Amino acid sequence: ARIPIGGIHEWVIQNGEPLVIPNALLDPRIIDLQCVTEGFHSLIIIPLSVPDHVIGTLSLFGLTIRSIEPEEIGFLRAIGQQVGVAVEHARLFESTRQQAQELTVLNSVASSVSSSIELEAVLGSALTQGIALTGAEAGTIRLFDRGEEALVLAVQAGRPLAAVKDHPKLPASVLPLLDGTPDRGIHR
């Protein structure tokens, strides 16, 4: 569940220090906190940190009023650092995996383009890879035909599109372009 950053969690994130509340019922910083309404009395919030910043918090709730020893705080701080590093590594791994997937698609398209002299095969491969990368259900590639002043369907892939059957050639003058001006931006 998402909670807005504020109050005691914000303090832990800003200061990068653990917060120990032995008796939440007597602490003025605890206002309308759900843990108190559910019967918890003690609260420890540990920063999940990486070397430069805090990326989250670890909250521990106790049913009894309890003081925390300095050794326990040191141990929990170490756990917070380990969890922070693990989260950061997982995020970096996911980002790297996504980049690798995108590069694989680009490499596949480039390989197809360089190994095939058949235009339809090259375009089909590029379109199929584009659909796979984006998770789209269908796609088309249309090429500008100077003689007909139209974009002509070269390939389509995925779910059949009714509009493709009805309009295999789109006049360049009816294309919705970025600035709304017909023909602008089409390279002839």
Side-chain angles (χ1 to χ4, degrees):
R2 292 185 179 269
I3 61 169
I5 297 176
I8 56 178
H9 289 276
E10 182 177 19
W11 185 91
V12 170
I13 290 170
Q14 287 178 348
N15 292 286
E17 295 293 327
L19 179 63
V20 177
I21 300 174
N23 187 349
L25 297 174
L26 300 178
D27 196 302
R29 296 171 291 187
I30 307 299
I31 300 171
D32 218 17
L33 197 61
Q34 185 178 357
C35 67
V36 174
T37 61
E38 292 184 17
F40 295 105
H41 293 284
S42 58
L43 173 63
I44 305 168
I45 302 175
I46 304 294
L48 301 180
S49 57
V50 294
D52 295 338
H53 60 283
V54 175
I55 62 167
T57 60
L58 167 68
S59 300
L60 303 170
F61 309 98
L63 290 172
T64 61
I65 297 171
R66 181 175 187 268
S67 297
I68 305 298
E69 299 298 323
E71 298 82 29
E72 292 175 295
I73 292 294
F75 179 71
L76 291 171
R77 184 187 296 263
I79 289 173
Q81 291 168 346
Q82 290 296 314
V83 171
V85 168
V87 168
E88 195 75 1
H89 284 162
R91 287 176 176 171
L92 289 172
F93 177 78
E94 179 58 29
S95 174
T96 302
R97 188 193 64 73
Q98 178 67 29
Q99 288 174 346
Q101 182 181 10
E102 291 168 0
L103 289 173
T104 300
V105 169
L106 287 174
N107 187 37
S108 178
V109 170
S111 176
S112 175
V113 168
S114 65
S115 68
S116 177
I117 57 172
E118 186 178 327
L119 181 59
E120 187 173 334
V122 170
L123 297 177
S125 177
L127 181 58
T128 301
Q129 295 297 327
I131 289 172
L133 178 64
T134 62
E137 285 76 30
T140 63
I141 292 180
R142 294 176 181 269
L143 300 176
F144 185 72
D145 183 321
R146 291 174 195 236
E148 297 198 27
E149 292 286 310
L151 282 176
V152 178
L153 178 67
V155 293
Q156 80 171 29
R159 191 174 123 207
L161 303 171
V164 172
K165 287 187 247 172
D166 297 338
H167 303 288
K169 295 180 184 175
L170 291 177
S173 62
V174 298
L175 292 176
L177 301 173
L178 291 177
D179 65 357
T181 307
D183 294 334
R184 188 148 307 162
I186 297 175
H187 301 286
R188 300 181 181 177

